[in-house]
Each structure stands twice: as structure tokens, then as C-alpha cells.
Amino acid sequence: MKLLFFHLMPYSDLPDDFREKHPSVWVDIDSGLFDPRKAHAMYNDFLDELEFAAESGFDGICVNEHHSNGYGLMPSPNLMASSLARRTRDAAICVMGNSLALYNPPTRVAEEMAMLDCISGGRLIAGFPVGTPMDTCYAYGQNPSTLRARYYEAHDLIMRAWKEPEPFTFNGRYNKQRYVNVWPRPIQQPHPPVWIPGGGSVETWQWCARMDYVYTYLSYFGYKQGEATVKGFWEEMDRLGKDRNPFRAGFLQFVGVADTHDEAMALYREPAEYFYGRCLHLDGRFLMPPGYTTEATIRARVQSQLAQAANQTAAVSAGPARSFEGIVDQGYVIVGSPDEVAERLREVATNLNVGQLMLLLQFGNMGKELCFHNTELFTKKVMPQLTDLFEDEWENHWWPAPMPRDERVAPREVVR
Amino acid sequence: MSAGAEPAERQVEVNGLPCRVWEKGPQDAAPIGYLAGLVGLPRWTPFLDLLAQERRVVAPSLPGFPGATGHEQLDTLLDWVHATLELLEAAGLRGADLMGVSVGGTLAAEVAATAPDAVRKLVLLAPFGLFDEQEPVTDIWAQRPGAAAALFCSDVEKIQALLAVPEGEDPVEWQILQARASEAAARILWPTTDTGLAKRLHRIRCDTLLVWGSADAIVPASTAKRIAAGLSGKATVRSIAGAGHLADLDAPEAVSEAVRAFLG
């Protein structure tokens, strides 16, 4: 199986009373809380962490896109990816991804991703999310009623831009471009592997199946809550007559490894509570713009709510856990000794049938030293217990095909 | 809710899709068109009953609002203006008096600016369309769950009564209807800044009544004067004391009196 190191780049200096004094980590977060000089250190630490993960043996490293967000300092993941493309040799560079409707024209995505593929020697994974309501509709002012149609059209434009050998005219509903001619072109032909992060809607599963893309479920709430969604995905693949190749699916999981279980419980408490307490302090104002959710999905959700209300035994949701005990009990973060973590992850990957496992080993306000420790233990002691999974049975058709290693150039050493 | 008979219902087509038209009032009376506000017309209202005592009230549903679909076809404001014109023509309202409320007022104003002969006299009740950074329009789509309804009317029971699930209706489909209306309104107005109406106000040449609830919590009541100042035709401003954004729900008598006095 493939193991990827995922980074959110959370601002690590939100105040202790953040929940009490501030309405939200996202959209209207107080800009007075941002100290650019501290961010200088954070960005460089985060890039060090991603580079270290690549050097340590992770198959891929992932960046992502958020706007006006205190737990995601990457409005432009492509900037981060370009730095990583230069400073890493073999790891896949997974841009997870560009929210396509936010780029005008979307040709920009085709261009920048082609640049990344060239710089990295063909190591790019192209992630295409719709983007959250907070990022797209509120922070970026996109109309929620046209967002999905714009997303699909932008996708069509980008794929055509990569595939067509001649300049062409794109006369779309939302995008009109007389001369589309992406220069540079991607190394990976006809295009880099495409991965789609989704939130569990049936339409997205069907679209991934039709397009033969990887579907990734990027939840912050771990394998227990994610199980129903990922199983729903596989049931839909069965219904559509697709094989159960585990490399069709990606899943995100927080992990904290230490020499012993008790030590892990001590080490990862603070960063986990920081993440689930401060970073996920969201405001209900920005969650449900009209038209963002399709009518079919609303119908399904309302019906399941009515069914739950009718079911006396259904547990009343008290909101996500914020104490470390709750966070661990509910599986948001898997913590423990290397053997414990390996056993649990093997079980999760097998049970969910997921071949592209994305791991968050830095979370909340975790410092670089602890992140390195977590990464080192993971790559030395956990990873060897996992990598064989699925490899004999299935072929990963959705992994980058870079240029041969001896044909790829290495950047010159930095003169200090 | 309604005094006496329910409105007559028929269907007309806009862009090939059916739109509901409700009609009530003396058949020999001059018609007045009514374009509803943010939630559309999920049911007939007491205000329309009052108006229908003297006028033949014709209330066509805009695409996406209760009684009509087709909002997904409309991308630009020009698309919406043409759809509204088509709807008014199909409902027999071209050249008639026209009243538009809230987002319906936005489109009524645009129609009057685009096709001045399409509207005889115009009534605008708290239309969206202008934006003042000092006194911004409230972002109704950035409210905590359940908080938006209280912004629509001064008397929250009035909006709750309009939106309540009627007996025998499927509550799931009723909720979908409301989500769709909200989406249609957002499709026109998002991100609730100006729509460019200020550039076109001078094209409105007909007599215009601007009605505003003095307690409008969504579109500031001060907007009325700014719109009035931009119109080429004669403008009258009427404030409805204590009423909220959907003032015709809050104060049906006062608003219908104002409209009757204006239309003559």
C-alpha cells in the first residue's frame, strides 16, 4: 500500500482562550492573531517536516488549499509544492489539491500543475477538490448555486488542456477562452494521476468511478466515523460493477507514535487538544450556503435525521470530542507504540479497503522535534509492517510514473 | 389563513419549464403583478387577500421559488431579467402595475429599467441591489442555524406561519422547496453585495413607490432614499413603522393601504 505524509500547516500560536474570545478559526478569524515573524518560522518548520518525511521514506507528501483559515496556512498549495519539488527526490508530490472553481481561468491550474510535474520529474498527483463552503463561498465569494457546475466545467477544461495536442477554443458555460494552449506540458502522459477529495456524496463516488479517479475521504474524525462513508463508497463501486482495487480509495488518519503507549498518551495530548479544540473551532454561520449541497444529498440527510429522531435509541450527538481521552477513544487520532499503531492501521486499511493512506503526523501546535520523532518512529517501525498490504493482489494505476531516477536532475546544493 | 376562496392556479412556461401563477380578485379589475421575496410564496398571504379586494392580483413564481423550477438554467442577471420578462408576459402582466418584494423587487426594478414599457406603475418593497459599506446589507446566508428567520420579519411568528408545513405535505419535500428558494435567491444575489442596479436606476421612468419596513434587519431602510434619488420617474417613499424586511407579512394592512393609495 502507499503511505503519504499529509500536512495542514496549522498556525501554532492561537491563544489559550481562542474558543471563548473568537467566533471562528475560519473566514472571519481575527487577523490580529497572525504574527508574520512567527509564521516565518512555522512555514520553514512545516516545509522541513514535509522534506524530512520524504527523506525518511514516505511514498508521498501532501499539501492542500484553505483560505482565511487558522489551521491551514496554504492559500496556495502550489507554492509549497514547488518548493518541495526542488527539495525532495523520490516522493510523490500530492497537491490535494486546487479548488478548481476558484481559478479564473482554470487553465491556471493546468499550467501550474504542469510546471510542478516538470520540476519534480513527473512526481505530481493532481488533487481536485470542490473546496469547502468556508473556502469557496465565503472566503472567496463564489456563488454556491453555480459552484459545482463551475467545478465540473473547470475540470473538463483542465483535462482537455493537458490532453489535446493542438491549441483549442473552450466555449464553456462559465469559461470562455479563445486560445487554450498549456505550455509547459506535464511529463506524465496523458496526465498526472487525478485524486478527488470528497465529503461522502453519492454523486462524487459515481463521477470518480466514471472518470476512473481515486476517491479520498479526508475527515478529521478518524476511522470509526469514516467507516460508513468508505463502505458506502465500496457498495456504490459494487453497484457500478467496478472492482474493489483498494488503490481506488484514499483515507486520512491522524497518528501519534512513541516508544510506549503511555509515552504516546503523554506526548500527543497537547497537540491533539489544540487541534480539536482551537483549530476546529468553526462557526455554524459558514457551514451551509444555499445550493452548496445538492437536493439529492439534502433529501438523504433530512430523511436520515427524521429516521434518527424516530429511533429512540439513537445517541444524541454532543458534538465532536475535544478532550484527549475522547479524541483517542473515538479514533480521531491513533496513538500508541509502533506495534500498536501498525496493528491498528493494518486493521483500518484492511477493513476500509484503502490502499492510499494519508497520515497526519503533525497536527495542532506540535513542534518540529516531536513531529520528526513521530515521523522517524513511523517510517522505521510502523511503515515496514504495512507496505506489503494489497501489493501482491492489486496494481496501483493511480500512482505517478516519474522519469527514470538517473534521468532526473538534482538541484545544486544551497551555498550557506 | 386566506379570507374566502383560495387563489386560482395555472401554469405558464419560462424557458420551457412550468411556473405556477396564482390569481385572485375581481375579474374585471385591473391586474397587479406580485413578485415575492426571499422565500417565495409557499402559501397565499393575508396581504395578497387585502390587495385582492380591489385589484386582480396575479402572482407568478420566479424560477426556483415555490411553484417553479429552472433556476439552474439562469447564470447571469441578464438571464434572470429575461426570465422575469418572459414570466410576466406569459402571466398576462406586460404593461400592468408591478409590485416586487425583496429579491422579487430586485428583478421588478431590473425589468422596469430594461423594458420601461413593460411596467405601468412600480412598487418596490425593500429590494436588494444597492450596497453601502457604511451600512451593509445583512448577509442572510451567514447566520447560525435557525437565526435567519428572525431577520425576515419583526414578528417572527409571521414568517414561521408562512413556512410551516401544511397538513398533508411531505415534510422532507417541503424542506427541499425552501432550500431551493434559498438557493434561487442566492443565485441572484450572492455574495449579497450590489447587483449593479444603481447604474440602471435612471432607466426606470414610471411612477414608483418605495415601501420599507422601518425595522428592516436585512436591507437598511435608508436605501429607499438612495433609490428614489436615482429614478427618472416620480418616486414616493413610504416607511412602515415597526415592520421588518418582509413588511407585507408583518403589516399587511399598512402596506396594502400604501399600495392602494399609490396606485389610485
Side-chain angles (χ1 to χ4, degrees):
Chain A
M1 69 181 304
K2 293 297 184 190
L3 295 156
L4 300 96
F5 179 100
F6 198 110
H7 214 307
L8 288 168
M9 302 200 174
Y11 191 79
S12 52
D13 199 37
L14 297 172
D16 292 345
D17 58 2
F18 181 69
R19 283 191 80 83
E20 292 73 41
K21 295 262 176 71
H22 297 272
S24 171
V25 78
W26 213 334
V27 183
D28 61 352
I29 183 170
D30 183 354
S31 59
L33 295 175
F34 190 88
D35 181 341
R37 300 177 76 87
K38 285 181 180 165
H40 163 72
M42 289 177 206
Y43 275 121
N44 283 283
D45 281 355
F46 297 154
L47 288 165
D48 282 350
E49 288 159 12
L50 283 151
E51 290 165 14
F52 182 73
E55 283 164 27
S56 305
F58 268 99
D59 298 308
I61 47 179
C62 310
V63 292
N64 70 335
E65 175 175 337
H66 284 305
H67 300 276
S68 310
N69 181 325
Y71 77 71
L73 298 188
M74 279 184 279
S76 170
N78 300 355
L79 289 180
M80 300 292 96
S82 77
S83 170
L84 295 168
R86 285 272 293 173
R87 298 264 301 167
T88 59
R89 294 274 68 81
D90 297 307
I93 308 280
C94 179
V95 178
M96 201 69 221
N98 288 177
S99 299
L100 300 184
L102 303 186
Y103 296 79
N104 181 17
T107 314
R108 182 84 183 186
V109 175
E111 290 173 334
E112 291 190 359
M113 287 194 167
M115 289 172 73
L116 288 169
D117 207 43
C118 287
I119 296 168
S120 68
R123 290 183 284 139
L124 180 74
I125 293 168
F128 294 156
V130 172
T132 68
M134 290 71 97
D135 292 315
T136 56
C137 302
Y138 293 102
Y140 259 43
Q142 291 296 303
N143 193 312
S145 178
T146 56
L147 183 74
R148 270 166 216 279
R150 284 178 185 276
Y151 166 81
Y152 286 120
E153 183 179 301
H155 160 271
D156 294 347
L157 168 51
I158 291 161
M159 296 310 279
R160 252 187 97 181
W162 279 342
K163 287 180 193 169
E164 290 212 10
E166 301 288 334
F168 64 93
T169 297
F170 190 85
N171 183 35
R173 181 169 174 179
Y174 302 104
N175 299 282
K176 318 267 184 200
Q177 207 177 338
R178 188 77 210 202
Y179 306 99
V180 182
N181 187 15
V182 168
W183 233 93
R185 324 260 326 161
I187 284 176
Q188 298 182 80
Q189 289 295 323
H191 57 81
V194 175
W195 292 17
I196 308 294
S201 77
V202 181
E203 294 104 318
T204 307
W205 296 342
Q206 292 166 346
W207 187 65
C208 284
R210 193 164 70 245
M211 306 305 291
D212 202 27
Y213 295 157
V214 169
Y215 176 80
T216 63
Y217 184 60
L218 307 183
S219 157
Y220 302 136
F221 300 107
Y223 64 98
K224 289 185 185 172
Q225 289 206 9
E227 187 176 339
T229 302
V230 179
K231 292 204 161 162
F233 167 78
W234 288 118
E235 281 161 20
E236 189 61 23
M237 293 306 109
D238 290 347
R239 209 184 60 77
L240 297 170
K242 294 282 169 185
D243 62 33
R244 283 200 167 227
N245 185 332
F247 295 109
R248 288 186 184 284
F251 188 75
L252 179 73
Q253 179 65 53
F254 287 58
V255 168
V257 198
D259 291 322
T260 67
H261 181 86
D262 289 348
E263 197 187 328
M265 289 297 285
L267 284 175
Y268 298 109
R269 173 181 295 274
E270 188 193 335
E273 289 187 346
Y274 180 99
F275 184 80
Y276 289 96
R278 292 177 224 183
C279 294
L280 289 195
H281 177 42
L282 305 180
D283 193 328
R285 291 172 64 202
F286 304 123
L287 297 176
M288 292 284 281
Y292 180 88
T293 310
T294 63
E295 288 181 10
T297 305
I298 297 176
R299 204 169 270 121
R301 282 185 195 163
V302 176
Q303 277 159 349
S304 81
Q305 280 161 10
L306 291 176
Q308 263 182 26
N311 181 358
Q312 297 294 321
T313 59
V316 179
S317 171
R322 295 203 298 273
S323 77
F324 192 49
E325 285 69 20
I327 289 165
V328 172
D329 279 353
Q330 298 194 32
Y332 302 174
V333 183
I334 293 175
V335 292
S337 68
D339 288 349
E340 270 180 285
V341 169
E343 191 187 339
R344 182 60 56 80
L345 283 177
R346 212 177 158 91
E347 193 183 294
V348 169
T350 308
N351 183 31
L352 301 184
N353 194 43
V354 163
Q356 326 270 23
L357 194 57
M358 302 160 139
L359 301 148
L360 269 164
L361 299 184
Q362 192 284 345
F363 43 86
N365 60 352
M366 188 189 295
K368 185 162 72 173
E369 292 315 310
L370 182 53
C371 177
F372 276 28
H373 181 63
N374 199 9
T375 305
E376 196 162 17
L377 280 174
F378 189 91
T379 49
K380 283 196 174 143
K381 297 187 173 174
V382 179
M383 196 179 270
Q385 303 187 51
L386 297 172
T387 43
D388 65 300
L389 201 58
F390 307 128
E391 291 292 339
D392 292 341
E393 280 172 273
W394 298 98
E395 198 177 335
N396 189 349
H397 305 291
W398 301 273
W399 196 253
M403 292 163 59
R405 197 169 201 278
D406 57 3
E407 291 176 24
R408 278 184 262 147
V409 298
R412 74 182 181 89
E413 289 300 311
V414 178
V415 180
R416 294 185 190 270
Chain B
M1 181 167 222
S2 89
E6 290 297 309
E9 181 170 327
R10 64 195 153 99
Q11 305 288 327
V12 297
E13 277 195 1
V14 171
N15 294 319
L17 291 170
C19 294
R20 182 193 72 196
V21 180
W22 272 344
E23 184 169 331
K24 191 172 177 179
Q27 283 308 297
D28 53 349
I32 176 169
Y34 176 87
L35 297 175
L38 284 169
V39 297
L41 269 187
R43 48 162 56 83
W44 193 251
T45 69
F47 165 76
L48 293 173
D49 262 339
L50 290 171
L51 207 57
Q53 286 174 4
E54 291 175 19
R55 299 292 296 260
R56 185 157 59 85
V57 178
V58 182
S61 292
L62 287 159
F65 291 88
T69 55
H71 58 293
E72 305 98 329
Q73 298 184 25
L74 309 175
D75 293 320
T76 63
L77 190 57
L78 187 63
D79 291 343
W80 279 99
V81 171
H82 280 263
T84 309
L85 266 169
E86 193 176 338
L87 179 66
L88 293 175
E89 285 166 5
L93 287 166
R94 184 153 187 134
D97 295 328
L98 180 63
M99 174 172 184
V101 179
S102 173
V103 65
T106 309
L107 291 173
E110 290 289 356
V111 159
T114 305
D117 66 325
V119 181
R120 197 180 79 94
K121 282 186 164 188
L122 179 65
V123 178
L124 300 175
L125 196 166
F128 289 85
L130 272 56
F131 192 84
D132 181 355
E133 279 187 33
Q134 301 307 313
E135 204 183 355
V137 173
T138 302
D139 189 351
I140 44 171
W141 293 299
Q143 302 297 323
R144 303 212 167 100
L151 296 171
F152 287 27
C153 288
S154 288
D155 178 358
V156 73
E157 286 178 12
K158 294 279 172 61
I159 184 75
Q160 286 165 348
L162 184 70
L163 299 177
V165 187
E167 212 170 307
E169 285 282 341
D170 178 346
V172 176
E173 290 311 309
W174 189 255
Q175 196 165 328
I176 296 285
L177 218 63
Q178 288 177 23
R180 191 182 297 149
S182 193
E183 175 179 349
R187 202 166 171 103
I188 303 164
L189 299 174
W190 194 276
T192 351
T193 48
D194 84 273
T195 59
L197 178 61
K199 287 186 282 188
R200 298 180 283 273
L201 281 175
H202 69 278
R203 294 281 300 151
I204 300 178
R205 301 199 293 260
C206 59
D207 287 357
T208 302
L209 171 67
L210 290 149
V211 190
W212 231 283
S214 68
D216 191 325
I218 299 177
V219 188
S222 61
T223 314
K225 282 184 184 151
R226 290 193 292 127
I227 292 179
L231 298 173
S232 292
K234 184 177 168 232
T236 310
V237 176
R238 283 287 302 273
S239 173
I240 307 296
H245 179 63
L246 300 177
D248 60 333
L249 286 186
D250 264 332
E253 289 83 7
V255 176
S256 64
E257 276 307 316
V259 173
R260 258 187 281 197
F262 167 72
L263 294 176

